[in-house]
Amino acid sequence: MFAFVILHYLAEEMTKECVEHLEKFLDMNRCKIVIVDNASSNGSGQRLKDYYKNKDYCDVLLNNENVGFARGNNIGYKFAKEKYKPKYMIIMNNDVLINDGDFLDKIEKIHSETEFDVLGPDIISKKNGLHQNPMYLKQLTIQQVNKQISDITSKLKHPRINYVIDKIKSSIRVRTRLKSLKRKFGKAQEKIHINRHINPILHGSCYIFSLKFINNEDEAFDSRTFLYREEEILHLKCMKKKYTMIYDPHLSVLHLEDVSTESELKFREKSIRQEIEKQKFINTHQLASLKVLLDVMKEEIITNKK
C-alpha cells in the first residue's frame, strides 16, 4: 500500500489539483492520502476537511500552528505510518503533480532493482523546464556551509542594500545560466538527470520512502528546522545510517513551485517593502537551518573519529 503525505498551506485549489491528479492517474484502492494543513489563516484547512470527509482514502489533519516544512510533514508521516502501515510513503509538496498511470508500479520495479530506502523522481519545473533532481552529487563541505552562514548573516544586517544587490545578481544569473551550469557541473554533468544515481542529494519537493526506512524511523525530517536545507540534512542522516538513496529518471513529476509563498501575497499588492520582508523571512530560516546542518556535519565527524 502507498501513503501520500501532502503538506497544505493557504493554496486550496492547488492542493485539490494535486489530489485530483492522484485520483485521476492512480488506483486509489492501493493508496491513502494524508493532507496536513499547517494552520492556514484563510480557513482552507477546514474547507479541505469538509471537502474530503466522504472519501475514505483521504485524511485531513489540522495543525493548531504553522510548524514549518519538516515538523508539518513529520506529523503526516507519523499519522500515515501508525494508521495505514504503508509499504511506501510518498511525501510531496502540494504543488507537485503526478500524471503517470504507472507511477506506483514503477516505484515497485525500481525498488526490486535497487532496494532503495529513499527514492527521488525526475522533478520537472513548470516554471522553466529545468530538471531539479538530483540537486547535487556531493555534500557541501563545512567550509562552504560556514561561508553561506556568513553571507546570510551579512544580508540580514543590511536587508535593503542586499535586496537591490540580489535583484541585480538575479538578472545576471538569468542571462548567464548556461555558463554557470557549465562552471558548476562541467559539460558532462549538465544533464545529470538522464541517468540513475546512487546516494545523491535529492530535491525536497518529492520523496518516496520504502518499508525499511518507515519501520526504522519515527520521523522523515529533522524537526529542528522550519524551512530549507532539509535535503542536505536528510542525506547526511541516510549516509550515517547506511540507507540507500536513489535518483531514477524513469519516475517523473511536475513541480509548479512556490505556490504557498505566492498565495500569501494573493490578496495584497506586492511592494518593495513586502519583497524585502519576504527575503528577510527566507534568510532568517535559511540561517537557522544552515546552523542545524552544520551541527549535523560536526556530529558526523565526531562519530567517524570514534
Side-chain angles (χ1 to χ4, degrees), residues 33-196:
I33 301 170
V34 178
I35 299 170
V36 181
D37 171 56
N38 232 345
S40 298
S41 58
N42 61 357
S44 56
Q46 184 60 53
R47 289 194 296 273
L48 287 172
K49 192 174 183 68
D50 294 338
Y51 186 80
Y52 291 110
K53 65 181 180 181
N54 293 323
K55 297 192 175 183
D56 58 6
Y57 53 78
C58 187
D59 298 276
V60 179
L61 311 181
L62 304 180
N63 289 344
N64 294 323
E65 61 177 317
N66 185 348
V67 295
F69 177 90
R71 289 172 61 196
N73 276 311
N74 284 342
I75 288 170
Y77 174 92
K78 290 177 184 178
F79 180 90
K81 175 180 177 177
E82 292 171 6
K83 183 174 181 178
Y84 296 117
K85 298 176 174 54
K87 187 174 181 181
Y88 299 97
M89 183 104 64
I90 298 94
I91 298 182
M92 63 187 204
N93 291 4
N94 68 333
D95 59 356
V96 167
L97 303 180
I98 293 174
N99 54 13
D100 181 358
D102 295 323
F103 192 82
L104 305 181
D105 291 335
K106 286 180 179 179
I107 290 174
E108 291 185 322
K109 183 176 186 297
I110 295 168
H111 189 266
S112 70
E113 295 171 351
T114 66
E115 296 187 353
F116 71 80
D117 299 300
V118 185
L119 173 65
D122 184 6
I123 300 172
I124 304 166
S125 169
K126 187 177 181 181
K127 183 184 294 185
N128 51 32
L130 292 178
H131 297 262
Q132 299 175 321
N133 244 347
M135 283 182 61
Y136 312 108
L137 299 182
K138 293 183 179 180
Q139 269 285 359
L140 296 171
T141 65
I142 286 181
Q143 291 75 16
Q144 288 172 320
V145 173
N146 277 322
K147 177 64 165 57
Q148 290 185 23
I149 288 173
S150 176
D151 290 345
I152 293 177
T153 300
S154 175
K155 288 181 179 182
L156 285 169
K157 289 179 180 178
H158 309 286
R160 291 183 177 274
I161 294 173
N162 281 286
Y163 170 77
V164 175
I165 293 173
D166 284 345
K167 282 291 184 183
I168 295 171
K169 286 182 177 179
S170 178
S171 178
I172 293 172
R173 281 197 297 269
V174 169
R175 294 196 302 267
T176 62
R177 184 166 186 84
L178 182 57
K179 291 181 180 179
S180 176
L181 283 170
K182 287 181 179 179
R183 287 196 301 271
K184 186 173 182 180
F185 296 116
K187 291 182 179 180
Q189 292 190 7
E190 281 177 37
K191 296 183 178 180
I192 58 173
H193 67 277
I194 291 176
N195 299 313
R196 177 184 286 173

